[in-house]
Every structure is written in structure tokens, then in C-alpha cells.
Amino acid sequence: MATDLRGINKFPHCAVIAATTNAHEIKLPSQAAQVTIGCQTAICLFGQNNQTDATSMGAANMFVPSGNILTVKIGRGTSRAESVFVAMPTGTGNISVILEEL
């Protein structure tokens, strides 16, 4: 089930997503210009294109090593992503997310 953060209006905003191997959609507020994700204890996955909420994470993803973070700037105008997706390659884990307005 997706996490809807579109109502957030104070930045930076931190959230923790309980993730599985299925893609978990994070709906982004229009003011968010950057998203950072990471997991302290395991590898996690980040994706945007060709992903669908609550289904297996598609091949178009980026892995984030355990204890590291990945920061991605969000496009503007017609190239802007309305959501991003996170998952675990195996098992379950908590993925930390930070949304920033630049």
C-alpha cells in the first residue's frame, strides 16, 4: 500500500517505510525537490520508472548499500515524478526517507 506524503508542507520531512520485496510507492508533495533514502541494516532499492505499487520491484532500480544513502533530485514541470518506489531485495526492513524543498 502506498504512502501518501502529498499533504506535507514542512521541510525537511522524515519518514520511515516498512518495506518488503514488493515496490512501495511514496507519493510526493509538489514542493519536494529532493528525496533521500537509506536503510541502516540492509541493502534497499529505489526506483521510479516502470514500477507499480505492491508488485515485484521491476528491474529498473538502484540499490543502496546497507548503512548508506541515495539522494535524488526530482524533476520540474512535465518531467517531474509524482512518486518514487522503494523495496528490499530480500526480506523486510525499514527504509528511512527524507524529503527536501530546495
Side-chain angles (χ1 to χ4, degrees):
M1 178 178 283
T3 298
D4 190 348
L5 299 178
R6 292 177 292 186
I8 301 303
N9 57 14
K10 302 282 185 199
F11 296 93
H13 178 80
C14 298
V16 176
I17 306 296
T20 67
T21 56
N22 286 335
H24 185 102
E25 182 177 19
I26 302 169
K27 296 181 181 183
L28 302 172
S30 61
Q31 308 95 308
Q34 184 168 284
V35 61
T36 300
I37 71 154
C39 180
Q40 289 182 329
T41 58
I43 293 171
C44 63
L45 304 174
F46 173 89
Q48 193 277 322
N49 51 304
N50 302 319
Q51 307 296 340
T52 304
D53 186 48
T55 63
S56 295
M57 191 72 152
N61 66 67
M62 181 65 193
F63 74 93
V64 182
S66 173
N68 287 275
I69 60 172
L70 172 69
T71 300
V72 178
K73 290 186 178 165
I74 305 300
R76 296 181 183 181
T78 58
S79 66
R80 187 178 193 290
E82 294 183 8
S83 62
V84 295
F85 297 82
V86 295
M88 303 300 290
T90 60
T92 61
N94 291 322
I95 299 176
S96 297
V97 178
I98 301 172
L99 300 179
E100 294 177 83
E101 177 184 45
L102 300 178

